[in-house]
Amino acid sequence: MITLTHNKTLTGSSEWEALEGHWQQIQPQHMRELFDSNPDRFEQMSMASCGIMLDYSKNRITSETMDLLFGLARAAGLPDWIGRMFSGEPINTTEGRAVLHTALRNRSNRPVSVAGEDVMPEVNQVLEQMGDFVQQLHSGEWKGYTGKRITDVVNIGIGGSNLGPLMVCEALGHYRIPDIQVHFVSNVDATHLVETTKQLDPETTLFIVASKTFTTQETLTNAHAARRWCLNSLQDDNAIASHFVAVSTNAKAVAEFGIDTNNMFVFWDWVGGRYSLWSAIGLPIAVAVGMECFHELLAGAHAMDVHFRNAELEQNMPVILALLGVWYANFAGAATYAVLPYDQYLRLLPDYLQQADMESNGKRVTRDGAVVDYTTGPVVWGAAGTDGQHAFYQLIHQGTQMIPADFIVPVHSHNELGDQHAKLLANCLAQTEAMMRGKSSEEAESELKASGMESDQIAALLPHKIFPGNNPTNTLLVDKLTPGRLGSLIALYEHRIFVQGIIWNLNSFDQWGVELGKQLANVILPELQGELPIGKHDCSTAGLLKYYLSLRAGKG
Ligand code: F6P
């Protein structure tokens, strides 16, 4: 039996120990005091790049904290790792792959080589192919099998082949092209496909089957069902060519499925699934908002890449965000991290970031395979403000856990309706202020007194009216949610994840943890279908299987 070694390199380092000691000094301090003692705190702890202003002054930090964190990043060799990622080194070591989503949006066209070959010509070629296809769809030149124009496009994919394009299509709702609707089907639960296709006409519907591997059970099951739905109506296998295209790295499997590889958009193994919206996986985005907007999205991400690659750590937005996350996860004991967009268009950003972050840094061993003795990726969650305020913010204000949170809000809205944007912004800023300041016992008591309450009532109510505050937040003010800004924002978070992976010494680009469930599902499926007897399982799983089978057999 192989025993895993434990890694003490990080936690035993002088940088780490200094930060542990420093948290002991910071912990008793309230952010109110930090603000009171330094009127320049905002100027000193805010920065802007790519149309995004980051205010990180409402954090439980001093300038010394940041210095210590930058020291930790340097000790981890961060600047060197940034260079290694951008230059196409195979830093995804367990899969032997480069990590080059940045090449997909490399608008400078600077050569980027993988194994000695410049990938940019291929990247640009696929962009052109996407542009031609989108033009044909929008102009009506691409026709369904019966000669009708395509009005609906359904993306069938899951994980990175769904969440990125879905989130971006929602986020760029303002830029949506009329006359063509884009839908997404991901869940293997047939309800997803059935409810989506209910409103559609097979003669005017085109499916994009999006799967990096083209082996994913959920996607292939839905794609086969969509194929049957199409053929039930069109009654001719030749119809498939007009109603199915594929996005994949696996041409053989695409051909086996029955999609003409001329109708296939390729990408490459150096694009991770959760980092793939910039590749042909972004095809539904280009269909929904047009190729021009897609190019702007890429350009915005590229601008953030340039910033990340070139800015000093002290002025580097993804680095600052990442280090603050490390501070709370590793030294202050925060187990979760909330993303709170004050923009309805960004309501799916938390879902997207869940995969991006948790699949990347939800790891328990280092790059060398040693078990870590520190916390890695936190639980990422969130929802659009102000809905969240009326749901879970109570726990942030008065619960027992510290929940570091990012508030994201645009300065200009696409929908300036009366004073609604001012109200949205007021709520956003009020929440960050409340989370920082809280309400002291004295403040709560004087409010209750002013309301004319009797002292025995005040005594009973007072503990419920106190807000401890001191909950850390970042505020990201985005000038306007254009395709370019959205690209910068997503790239900002991608690089935040990368930096944390470097500090934690993880391979952020594999995802072996999703395999076990897939393997076991393949064992259980034939048992559920009565093709094999129930095999060796724990008594819970076996009991559930038997109960299900007896009900399906009409015995319960
Ligand atoms: O959930 C595991 C995963 O491999 C993700 O990383 C990926 O985005 C998703 O499945 C879909 O994979 P594919 O694009 O190969 O169908």
Side-chain angles (χ1 to χ4, degrees):
M1 194 177 106
I2 297 172
T3 27
L4 294 176
T5 52
H6 286 256
N7 177 48
K8 291 258 174 218
T9 326
L10 181 59
T11 50
S13 68
S14 57
E15 289 81 6
W16 189 273
E17 283 171 4
L19 279 156
E20 278 178 333
H22 182 65
W23 172 248
Q24 298 310 317
Q25 290 167 7
I26 291 286
Q27 189 178 21
Q29 294 186 44
H30 200 286
M31 276 191 276
R32 278 182 184 219
E33 295 153 20
L34 297 174
F35 272 95
D36 288 346
S37 63
N38 179 8
D40 297 329
R41 195 170 161 86
F42 171 75
E43 275 73 32
Q44 290 163 4
M45 294 182 179
S46 59
M47 63 160 299
S49 181
C50 308
I52 302 170
M53 201 279 280
L54 164 66
D55 168 23
Y56 60 100
S57 61
K58 291 194 185 93
N59 276 290
R60 295 176 67 175
I61 54 169
T62 60
S63 58
E64 187 189 350
T65 320
M66 293 313 292
D67 289 344
L68 291 171
L69 287 166
F70 292 126
L72 182 71
R74 288 207 166 83
L78 178 62
D80 182 46
W81 278 102
I82 294 173
R84 291 172 73 177
M85 175 174 72
F86 276 95
S87 62
E89 268 191 46
I91 60 169
N92 173 1
T93 44
T94 58
E95 297 180 310
R97 293 174 182 168
V99 174
L100 274 179
H101 42 282
T102 52
L104 300 167
R105 59 220 191 191
N106 169 21
R107 307 317 289 154
S108 72
N109 268 318
R110 168 187 62 83
V112 180
S113 70
V114 174
E117 237 178 82
D118 182 14
V119 298
M120 289 316 298
E122 265 190 292
V123 166
N124 291 328
Q125 200 184 321
V126 174
L127 281 171
E128 262 177 47
Q129 185 195 0
M130 288 168 69
D132 289 346
F133 173 72
V134 168
Q135 193 275 331
Q136 286 180 44
L137 273 186
H138 289 169
S139 66
E141 198 184 314
W142 182 294
K143 301 226 180 320
Y145 181 65
T146 57
K148 291 189 181 165
R149 190 188 175 115
I150 299 296
T151 57
D152 293 90
V153 170
V154 183
N155 189 79
I156 298 181
I158 198 163
S161 302
N162 169 67
L163 286 164
L166 173 64
M167 180 274 287
V168 172
C169 283
E170 181 79 18
L172 297 181
H174 175 77
Y175 298 86
R176 219 174 283 141
I177 295 210
D179 303 330
I180 194 148
Q181 301 299 318
V182 177
H183 315 261
F184 290 84
V185 171
S186 54
N187 199 333
V188 76
D189 181 342
T191 302
H192 204 173
L193 182 70
V194 169
E195 284 299 331
T196 306
T197 48
K198 246 182 203 173
Q199 7 146 9
L200 304 180
D201 174 357
E203 291 184 67
T204 57
T205 300
L206 180 134
F207 292 91
I208 300 174
V209 185
S211 173
K212 179 175 171 183
T213 55
F214 228 78
T215 57
T216 304
Q217 184 204 50
E218 293 89 333
T219 299
L220 289 187
T221 304
N222 277 322
H224 279 290
R227 197 172 189 276
R228 288 193 298 274
W229 176 81
C230 207
L231 290 178
N232 270 347
S233 160
L234 302 175
Q235 300 287 324
D236 184 350
D237 277 357
N238 293 323
I240 296 304
S242 314
H243 293 270
F244 278 79
V245 300
V247 181
S248 186
T249 58
N250 187 349
K252 188 166 169 277
V254 168
E256 276 164 16
F257 177 86
I259 297 177
D260 185 345
T261 45
N262 287 324
N263 291 342
M264 172 180 172
F265 300 82
V266 297
F267 63 114
W268 308 273
D269 69 0
W270 41 264
V271 182
R274 53 192 171 275
Y275 298 91
S276 64
L277 72 89
W278 322 99
S279 71
I281 288 290
L283 191 59
I285 303 171
V287 172
V289 298
M291 205 60 199
E292 208 175 304
C293 282
F294 189 70
H295 279 291
E296 282 174 35
L297 182 80
L298 299 183
H302 177 62
M304 185 55 77
D305 293 344
V306 172
H307 165 76
F308 178 53
R309 202 174 179 189
N310 298 326
E312 287 296 319
L313 300 189
E314 285 76 2
Q315 291 304 321
N316 197 313
M317 202 182 283
V319 172
I320 291 170
L321 275 185
L323 292 176
L324 289 167
V326 168
W327 176 233
Y328 296 118
N330 296 108
F331 302 98
T336 83
Y337 157 57
V339 178
L340 307 169
Y342 276 67
D343 187 323
Q344 187 66 13
Y345 287 126
L346 287 176
R347 73 186 178 87
L348 296 181
L349 185 67
D351 301 40
Y352 164 78
L353 288 177
Q354 262 176 356
Q355 188 205 11
D357 198 320
M358 292 166 78
E359 204 167 78
S360 296
N361 287 339
K363 307 283 164 67
R364 59 184 282 281
V365 297
T366 64
R367 279 188 220 99
D368 314 315
V371 178
V372 299
D373 62 343
Y374 45 86
T375 298
T376 60
V379 174
V380 180
W381 60 286
T386 56
D387 289 357
Q389 288 175 209
H390 295 273
F392 53 77
Y393 279 36
Q394 165 64 33
L395 184 145
I396 305 181
H397 286 297
Q398 289 187 312
T400 52
Q401 303 183 43
M402 177 207 284
I403 305 198
D406 286 357
F407 285 71
I408 305 167
V409 64
V411 174
H412 301 286
S413 169
H414 287 297
N415 300 299
E416 297 280 353
L417 197 62
D419 64 354
Q420 289 194 215
H421 191 60
K423 284 180 175 151
L424 179 74
L425 213 50
N427 272 285
C428 174
L429 297 183
Q431 288 298 330
T432 64
E433 194 169 28
M435 284 182 196
M436 187 276 283
R437 291 184 60 78
K439 190 184 282 179
S440 67
S441 175
E442 296 72 37
E443 287 167 340
E445 192 177 350
S446 72
E447 269 182 23
L448 292 172
K449 274 187 186 149
S451 74
M453 197 177 271
E454 299 295 328
S455 56
D456 54 339
Q457 279 179 301
I458 292 179
L461 205 50
L462 189 59
H464 304 277
K465 293 281 194 171
I466 295 169
F467 292 66
N470 222 10
N471 192 74
T473 63
N474 294 306
T475 305
L476 292 113
L477 274 179
V478 179
D479 51 3
K480 193 169 188 171
L481 192 63
T482 60
R485 291 295 176 260
L486 179 67
S488 299
L489 188 67
I490 301 169
L492 167 66
Y493 278 98
E494 285 181 345
H495 296 320
R496 178 190 186 277
I497 293 165
F498 172 79
V499 173
Q500 293 191 337
I502 296 305
I503 305 283
W504 291 325
N505 192 15
L506 308 173
N507 178 358
S508 303
F509 301 102
D510 59 11
Q511 57 286 318
W512 302 105
V514 294
E515 292 303 318
L516 179 61
K518 287 187 196 172
Q519 279 169 9
L520 295 183
N522 285 336
V523 172
I524 291 173
L525 183 61
E527 297 171 355
L528 279 180
Q529 290 171 324
E531 290 163 8
L532 285 177
I534 296 175
K536 202 165 176 294
H537 294 284
D538 60 85
C539 64
S540 159
T541 310
L544 291 165
L545 270 164
K546 280 182 201 150
Y547 186 82
Y548 171 86
L549 285 172
S550 73
L551 254 66
R552 294 286 288 192
K555 291 181 195 150

